[in-house]
Amino acid sequence: MDRRPNYCGRLLSAVVLVAFGSNASTNVCLAAVSQETETATESNLNSAEPVLKTPNESVLLATPFEFPLLNDNPSEPLDTQILEANYQKPAASKSSPTYPNVQLHGFFQADTGWFGQDAVNKASLAAINGVPNGDLQDGADFRRARLSAGGDVAENIGYFMEYDFAFPGRPSFMDNIVDLRSFVGDSTFRLGYWRQPFSMDALTSVKDLTFFERALPFTFVPFRQAGIGIYDGTEKGDYTWALSAIRFPTDFYGGNVGDNGGYGTVGRLTAVPWADDDDQRLLHVGGAYTFADPASDIIRYRAFPEFAVVENNLPADIVPPGVPNLTLPFADTGNISAQNVQLFGGELALVYRSLYIQSEAIYSHVDQIAGPTVDFWGAYARAGYFLTGEVRPYNRKAGVLGTVTPLCPFGTCTGSGAWELAAQWSAIDLNDQNIAGGRMNNVTAGLNWYLNKNFKFQFGHIHVFLNSPGFGDSDADITAARAQVVF
């Protein structure tokens, strides 16, 4: 073995020390140059700091400075390679956050659907909606197309803004909020326009819906409203609670006017009384309450058949004459003059490995101004099963079921993605006392294909059993498909 000193190595060591200061560890120089002797090599490796492994298991020396790999081109001087290498600051400096910051996201849902109705159903829809023709048209539509931005403006202050370009407002407000974290203890104070803490189904992201739309009881939910709120939960998420004070009702742009009431309060409490260590088996229970005094002294409930397409009729000659340009509501109370309304909700969900079950019931108690108190109700039960072995995750902070991630995304492994079979029954009753809004039961079967976490296809069939005042029982069928991309 040649024991002669490595003068090039010593020269390079001097260059590194001059370039980066005397605080640079000798381990850097020793790692960057050829070792002078076998003894020196063994000594340096033994005295080096612990090694770190990257995800692909390559080993890096944990030195104060890390260099990219140098160019192997022998025609380029070694000192030039070092000077052109990107210097990386210590990890402590890299991790320091800057404010404000932002992350951009979005998604869209492209739908197509085919409708079949019996003669009574067509006549019922025409009468309910005051249109000459209740024959629903087949069609295609972008159900949702959203862009969002979120981040922090300070260490404990976050924000989120989302707009939809498929809703009638084009764009319409979605969630627009600011959060003050660690407000009282670990609680978060919220200000803005957002989905109120009522109903597990309503609080589940539309990107994670098992079917095309939320179930029929969603008709009652005081969904997005402007106001203030506070929410918190235990560290492990065994319990969550949320409470808000709102202006009611709020339009698609977050606005509300009126000095005759127009206020409300919403609250929700959830618990996980039983779960295993990895949440592959879990039981969720929850309850919610709302009291609202509408600004206009008007309450109206309209129920749609859990799928819809809309053509905005611009220009006017696109839609065939004499037919609806959108999916009509199947049940409608009309305007109810109301002093106030109270809502009571109950939730139950079970995750048992690849099977999950979710159910809710919502009860609406309306105090009419010039009439008797009326009560309406709705309920649903759904089940889903993953043929490919996935487990529907549970979001403990929000108290809802979360996003499915395929075990074997399309194009990798066997290339199958995740396949889910699902079924649902839902019902709503809008008849009581002097209000005859109709009753509806839906039975739905679905097949979902998750190619990966960000792209899925949904296929489903809905059979609608409708009972309308003056027309009696009727039936309708809807077959639909959706493609969803999240980015």
Side-chain angles (χ1 to χ4, degrees):
M1 176 67 66
D2 188 357
R3 304 281 183 172
R4 289 177 297 176
N6 188 335
Y7 294 103
C8 293
R10 291 180 177 178
L11 177 61
L12 182 57
S13 300
V15 172
V16 172
L17 290 173
V18 170
F20 297 103
S22 60
N23 291 331
S25 169
T26 56
N27 287 334
V28 178
C29 301
L30 293 172
V33 301
S34 301
Q35 287 76 9
E36 190 166 313
T37 65
E38 287 182 352
T39 303
T41 301
E42 182 178 355
S43 173
N44 287 328
L45 289 177
N46 289 336
S47 64
E49 297 184 29
V51 298
L52 300 176
K53 290 189 176 183
T54 62
N56 62 4
E57 297 300 316
S58 61
V59 179
L60 303 174
L61 288 177
T63 55
F65 300 98
E66 295 177 4
F67 294 90
L69 293 178
L70 299 179
N71 192 341
D72 290 330
N73 183 0
S75 64
E76 188 169 317
L78 187 60
D79 56 344
T80 302
Q81 295 181 41
I82 293 177
L83 292 174
E84 290 180 352
N86 291 325
Y87 167 68
Q88 296 184 8
K89 294 182 179 180
S93 298
K94 290 194 299 181
S95 62
S96 300
T98 58
Y99 304 107
N101 53 54
V102 63
Q103 290 186 350
L104 302 178
H105 297 282
F107 73 96
F108 71 79
Q109 297 170 337
D111 292 0
T112 185
W114 298 265
F115 296 84
Q117 304 163 264
D118 62 24
V120 177
N121 187 265
K122 295 177 182 180
S124 298
L125 297 190
I128 292 169
N129 294 279
V131 296
N133 191 339
D135 183 10
L136 300 180
Q137 303 296 292
D138 303 338
D141 186 22
F142 278 90
R143 178 64 178 88
R144 299 174 178 92
R146 298 185 183 176
L147 294 174
S148 65
D152 292 328
V153 296
E155 183 177 359
N156 64 332
I157 301 177
Y159 69 93
F160 182 79
M161 305 171 66
E162 185 177 44
Y163 300 89
D164 191 290
F165 295 83
F167 277 22
R170 298 184 187 272
S172 296
F173 269 43
M174 296 295 107
D175 294 328
N176 281 261
I177 58 174
V178 58
D179 281 346
L180 176 59
R181 298 184 288 270
S182 301
F183 179 64
V184 177
D186 293 328
S187 67
T188 298
F189 174 82
R190 174 168 289 179
L191 168 69
Y193 176 73
W194 77 99
R195 292 177 292 164
Q196 293 303 306
F198 193 100
S199 169
M200 187 178 191
D201 201 24
L203 293 174
T204 300
S205 169
V206 292
K207 300 186 291 291
D208 299 327
L209 296 182
T210 303
F211 300 101
F212 304 109
E213 302 294 337
R214 298 177 172 96
L216 291 175
F218 178 68
T219 302
F220 299 119
V221 173
F223 196 40
R224 285 187 171 90
Q225 307 292 333
I228 58 174
I230 186 171
Y231 62 93
D232 198 1
T234 59
E235 183 177 354
K236 294 183 179 180
D238 294 331
Y239 299 91
T240 71
W241 62 267
L243 183 66
S244 59
I246 59 174
R247 288 289 298 185
F248 181 83
T250 308
D251 66 15
F252 273 120
Y253 302 99
N256 170 280
V257 296
D259 55 9
N260 183 21
Y263 297 95
T265 183
V266 186
R268 181 178 184 244
L269 176 67
T270 72
V272 180
W274 171 74
D276 59 13
D277 292 337
D278 54 4
D279 285 355
Q280 293 204 7
R281 294 181 297 175
L282 174 146
L283 179 66
H284 161 102
V285 295
Y289 173 77
T290 294
F291 178 88
D293 178 4
S296 58
D297 287 335
I298 295 293
I299 287 289
R300 185 177 187 179
Y301 294 132
R302 293 187 291 179
F304 292 82
E306 298 173 355
F307 180 81
V309 291
V310 177
E311 165 56 55
N312 281 302
N313 207 23
L314 295 172
D317 59 355
I318 290 181
V319 178
V323 299
N325 68 326
L326 74 169
T327 302
L328 301 170
F330 277 46
D332 189 349
T333 62
N335 289 339
I336 303 174
S337 297
Q339 298 270 15
N340 56 68
V341 58
Q342 297 182 70
L343 299 172
F344 305 85
E347 312 168 6
L348 183 65
L350 172 70
V351 176
Y352 197 90
R353 298 191 175 95
S354 294
L355 172 71
Y356 67 92
I357 300 171
Q358 180 175 321
S359 181
E360 288 188 78
I362 299 178
Y363 177 82
S364 175
H365 181 81
V366 180
D367 184 6
Q368 294 189 89
I369 292 176
T373 298
V374 291
D375 300 306
F376 311 116
W377 66 272
Y380 74 88
R382 77 169 59 106
Y385 181 78
F386 289 96
L387 303 173
T388 43
E390 286 77 10
V391 177
R392 183 79 184 265
Y394 179 75
N395 184 335
R396 285 180 171 264
K397 291 185 178 181
V400 298
L401 296 178
T403 303
V404 176
T405 301
L407 294 174
C408 206
F410 181 76
T412 65
C413 309
T414 61
S416 63
W419 288 85
E420 176 189 16
L421 290 176
Q424 176 177 278
W425 163 82
S426 63
I428 192 168
D429 188 343
L430 299 180
N431 293 336
D432 193 38
Q433 300 288 342
N434 60 321
I435 305 299
R439 290 190 298 269
M440 180 164 47
N441 284 264
N442 284 4
V443 177
T444 306
L447 173 66
N448 299 326
W449 180 24
Y450 304 82
L451 284 77
N452 52 53
K453 187 177 180 179
N454 300 312
F455 185 28
K456 71 176 179 179
F457 289 109
Q458 294 180 268
F459 309 92
H461 182 83
I462 306 167
H463 185 80
V464 182
F465 301 90
L466 178 64
N467 181 277
S468 301
F471 292 89
D473 296 333
S474 65
D475 296 271
D477 288 279
I478 305 170
T479 301
R482 166 175 292 170
Q484 173 180 289
V485 177
V486 180
F487 57 90

